[in-house]
């Protein structure tokens, strides 16, 4: 995505020193955990964490994606990975939330990923060039960058298609990695505004599609 009195003093002096010590510690607090969110436009590699929602749907008012609007369907959202990132998508999950449906790509490895996300007319698998059959009337292509093959990162890549059966997300294809990039397609009932957020602890690329 803180935490003796000197020897030979009189009892009163020791009590006073202890009181000062306790007063000095009273103001300390644990730092809040946070993720990194990027605006709906091409952006550089995220380096400074800012408050973001978790993917379990429990979002406190101060932890929402402040300032991150949903991008129009014609936009492509991009971010560069951090230098020397080397990650593998180890889990993919979906969820329905108030105002949006969510797809989460969880990663394991070193560094922070980037992404390129936008709608495509046809789901074409890279590098084979084969057309992928994706359920739904609209296809959102998701590229996660800064990734590596499982035998290089030491983490097994998630190897299943998801078909939630409820909500606006109808299909999420299994991630496939080639030359530092991992491709997946999200099938939707129709083209909808979307946003992309980076969360940490664990590292996740989160794609939200706006609900009616």
């Amino acid at each position: 995505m803180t935490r003796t009195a000197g020897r030979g003093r009189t009892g009163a002096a020791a009590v006073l020193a202890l009181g000062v010590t306790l007063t000095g510690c009273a103001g300390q607090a644990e730092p809040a955990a946070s993720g990194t969110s990027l605006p709906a436009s091409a952006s550089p590699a995220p380096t400074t964490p800012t408050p973001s929602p978790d993917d379990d749907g429990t979002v406190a008012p101060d932890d929402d994606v402040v300032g991150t609007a949903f991008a129009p369907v014609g936009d492509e959202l991009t971010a560069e990975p951090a230098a020397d990132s080397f990650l593998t998508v180890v889990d993919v999950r979906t969820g329905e939330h108030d105002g949006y449906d969510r797809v989460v790509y969880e990663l394991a490895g070193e560094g922070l990923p980037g992404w390129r996300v936008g709608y495509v007319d046809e789901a074409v698998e890279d590098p084979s060039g084969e057309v992928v059959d994706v359920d739904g009337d609209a296809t959102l292509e998701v590229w996660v960058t800064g990734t590596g093959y499982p035998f290089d990162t030491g983490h097994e890549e998630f190897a299943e298609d998801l078909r939630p059966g409820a909500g606006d997300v109808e299909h999420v294809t299994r991630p496939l990695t080639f030359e530092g990039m991992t491709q997946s397609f999200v099938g939707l009932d129709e083209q909808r505004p979307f946003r992309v957020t980076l969360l940490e602890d664990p590292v996740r690329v989160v794609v939200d599609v706006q609900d009616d």
Side-chain angles (χ1 to χ4, degrees):
M1 242 120 76
T2 47
R3 306 330 135 162
T4 63
R7 301 174 60 185
R9 297 186 180 181
T10 65
V15 170
L16 177 58
L18 177 59
V20 171
T21 302
L22 292 176
T23 301
C25 295
Q28 295 180 355
E30 291 293 330
S34 63
T36 306
S37 61
L38 290 177
S41 60
S43 307
T47 55
T48 305
T50 56
S52 300
D54 203 353
D55 58 87
D56 62 0
T58 306
V59 182
D62 294 338
D63 293 333
D64 205 348
V65 191
V66 178
T68 304
F70 286 92
V73 297
D75 282 8
E76 181 180 74
L77 302 188
T78 65
E80 293 297 319
D84 301 321
S85 294
F86 208 46
L87 304 116
T88 293
V89 177
V90 296
D91 190 29
V92 180
R93 52 189 179 270
T94 64
E96 293 185 75
H97 303 279
D98 186 17
Y100 60 92
D101 285 1
R102 171 165 287 185
V103 181
V104 178
Y105 296 89
E106 182 175 327
L107 299 103
E110 300 296 326
L112 294 174
W115 57 81
R116 189 173 79 236
V117 181
Y119 285 99
V120 292
D121 295 330
E122 192 173 53
V124 179
E125 185 178 275
D126 186 76
S128 68
E130 294 183 3
V131 176
V132 180
D133 186 14
V134 181
D135 299 349
D137 295 323
T139 302
L140 192 63
E141 184 177 38
V142 177
W143 285 100
V144 180
T145 57
T147 58
Y149 298 114
F151 53 78
D152 289 327
T153 66
H155 297 279
E156 287 298 318
E157 189 168 62
F158 188 79
E160 302 176 20
D161 279 30
L162 299 182
R163 289 180 170 83
D168 301 319
V169 175
E170 298 185 12
H171 187 187
V172 182
T173 67
R174 60 164 294 182
L176 292 173
T177 299
F178 181 71
E179 294 187 346
M181 301 179 68
T182 299
Q183 184 185 39
S184 175
F185 296 99
V186 178
L188 303 168
D189 63 337
E190 62 181 81
Q191 290 192 354
R192 296 174 175 274
F194 65 99
R195 66 187 177 191
V196 184
T197 308
L198 176 65
L199 302 181
E200 300 181 52
D201 254 345
V203 174
R204 287 150 290 164
V205 172
V206 176
V207 179
D208 293 332
V209 291
Q210 194 170 43
D211 202 352
D212 293 330

